[in-house]
Amino acid sequence: MARYAAGTVDCPGSPKSVRIVVIGDKGTGKSSLIVAAATDSFPPNVPPVLPDTKLPFEFFPDGIPVTIVDTSSRQEDRDMVAEELKHADAVVLTYACDRPETLERLSTYWLPELRRLEVKVPIIVAGCKLDFRDDNNQVSLEQVMSPIMQQFREIETCIECSALKQLQAQEVFYYAQKTVLHPTGPLFDQESQALKPRCVRALKRIFILCDHDRDGALSEAELNDFQVKCFHAPLQPSEIEGVKRVVQEKLPEGVNERGLTVTGFLFLHALFIEKGRLETTWTVLRKFGYNNDIRLADELLPSSLFKRAPDQSFELTSAAIEFLKGMYMLFDDDEDNNLRPQEIEDLFSTAPESPWKEAPYEDAAEKTALGGLSFDAFLSLWSLMTLLEPARSVEHLIYIGFAGDPSSAIRLTRRRRLDRKKQQCERKVLQCFVFGPNNAGKSALLNCFLGRSYADNQGSTTDERYAVNMVDESESAKKTLVMREIPEDGVQKLFSSQESLAACDIAVFVYDSSDESSWKRATELLVEVATHGEATGYEVPCLMVSAKDDLDSFPISIQESTRVTQDMGIEPPVSISSKLGDFNNLFRKILTAAQHPHLSIPETEAGKSRKHYNRLINRSLMAVSSTWSCCCGRWAGCIPCVRHKEERFCLRKIDSEDSILSEEDSKSLVLSLFTIPKF
């Protein structure tokens, strides 16, 4: 099986060019080696440093352009060399076969220097000037290089060459190119002599995609389809039988009566790699869209698909939700609405790794009594990943079998600014920022949101975290609520960005009702959020939460909290106690407030003054606009633009979505009305 198909440059994930940087001590033959490889001749006079050299397009069978970069060996040019190494796909490190000191410098200077510079590309060690080596001091390449390669695992291979005699000069760059196009590292662990986990997962996914009848084996017809897709040529019946025979002899369970099993498929690829035929496995991976990191190539998930305004978000489409529902039922073997940890691992066994084993997903959803996920919790985690990392969400949908166009898996929501104007939010996934001082009860609130008892809520955290769950909108409908806990010491960092509140649908401020200082700090945070929203245009509905209601409140707490919330134009605080389990439908209140983004928006004194000023300006404009005739014949109330005297500006456009005057322009505009003559 698997004749090698050249010319995989058009496959997603294939490098489109290869840049090889040549480094080494002065006089080791760097420049001569480059010229000899490019011209197939020995140059009598070579400049100290060559310009970038492009090998002919057809130089190697893959048809991928190769550029070789020569470098200076002078100490004063170290920074220039370091800059070139940042852009290298592979490095050729030279020493002179007739100068043992240059060989020693590999391990005493050059290889440590590459590590210091964090060069993470394959390294080819080239022993140049082979024709000058003393015949009386013959030492095998393996003897010389084995200790160095043991110490520096980043060396892919070693080769000796001679530019003068044209011995293996081109092979040096062939191997360098090959290590870029068909690297060993991502596929195979040399120490354990086994395929690496990520490679196994990718090949397993490819096997499942090729197993059209889902019977757990590749039949002759399916093997042929696979062969044609990857290598553009069918297998002869004798070749198929030969493949089965090789597998069955070494691994009986690799073949059954239906064909080649996934175990046999993996065994074949391990065999190809052991025999040095890495191009076979890489061709298969490339054809199915994988790059050198064994992830889906960027071409399959273009960044343009995930463009959004700061106050927009992505949600799963109904097509993606139906697919996930089917996958949940498929992996929930005992149909108990409890996807156990092992079943979740099985679901993601065709992805590079399980995405939910790390923050912020690891502990963000409600767990069943058996430590698994209900379907609501499962779907909530997908919604959270789509909200925070839409590209990663779509990528993992594809890994687990979503066959539709990537764009059909997610939808872009309407801008929050437009939601406020229309006085209704259409989102199905809403994000709540949870603010409050330390020890106010933020963490307990998130834990209770995930169905955890008071006994599980002891202690607090100063880390940012997420909690996601479904909340009943009505008897028949649910929406997903994402709660993001903002640590007190993380508030300033959050506000360092002008767009920090753009992703927020509602902000909740939690305080300890028994602690007056906690209440004051929560109030300060409320004012900070309101001020930031007014300054940036990303105002958000806000709700105060009085936690620890089972404790005695501080004196005049009710009067003070009521006064402050009334002054700022939001609802009075909602009292809760995680100990008593009394939440007064808090989460539904949060959901309701988030769905009406024009309400519960706090106003600071500065914001009120600004709004009053703008009303006066607008009244002034409306009062004088009736005395003006239209300059364009379509709008009433046009005047010369304040900034551009020769242009015309329509007053009636002031209230439109596309044209909003700043305070400065409004003031200038009103003042100018008294000096500009009528048309």
Side-chain angles (χ1 to χ4, degrees), residues 434-440 442 486-495 508-513 515-530 544-545 554 560 564 568:
V434 182
F435 295 92
N438 294 333
N439 300 311
K442 301 188 299 295
I486 311 293
E488 185 180 4
D489 59 4
V491 173
Q492 291 309 311
K493 181 181 177 182
L494 179 74
F495 288 158
V508 165
F509 300 83
V510 182
Y511 65 92
D512 180 348
S513 61
D515 184 349
E516 186 173 4
S517 63
S518 181
W519 151 252
K520 288 182 177 178
R521 180 57 184 143
T523 305
E524 291 171 359
L525 289 169
L526 172 62
V527 173
E528 288 179 34
V529 168
M544 297 288 286
V545 174
F554 67 87
E560 186 69 11
V564 170
M568 298 194 73

Side-chain angles (χ1 to χ4, degrees), residues 531-551:
T531 302
H532 190 79
E534 290 169 349
T536 60
Y538 294 117
E539 298 99 331
V540 297
C542 293
L543 191 64
M544 297 288 286
V545 174
S546 174
K548 305 183 183 181
D549 196 41
D550 53 292
L551 303 178

Side-chain angles (χ1 to χ4, degrees), residues 207-225:
F207 178 91
I208 292 172
L209 291 174
C210 295
D211 182 17
H212 304 304
D213 57 11
R214 297 291 187 269
D215 66 348
L218 297 183
S219 64
E220 291 189 11
E222 289 166 340
L223 276 172
N224 253 325
D225 290 343

Side-chain angles (χ1 to χ4, degrees), residues 59 63 156 220 306 618-619 626:
F59 195 83
E156 284 282 339
E220 291 189 11
F306 306 103
N618 286 335
R619 287 198 193 102
S626 59

Side-chain angles (χ1 to χ4, degrees), residues 2-8 61-62 181-182 227 230-231 277 279-280 283:
R3 308 183 191 95
Y4 173 50
T8 58
D62 300 279
L181 301 181
H182 313 127
Q227 183 75 13
C230 295
F231 305 103
R277 293 175 56 187
E279 65 273 11
T280 299
T283 299

Side-chain angles (χ1 to χ4, degrees), residues 17-19 34 38 51-57 59 65-69:
S17 63
V18 175
R19 188 174 181 86
I34 295 171
D52 291 1
T53 303
K54 291 187 179 296
L55 297 182
F57 186 76
F59 195 83
V66 175
T67 300
I68 306 175
V69 180

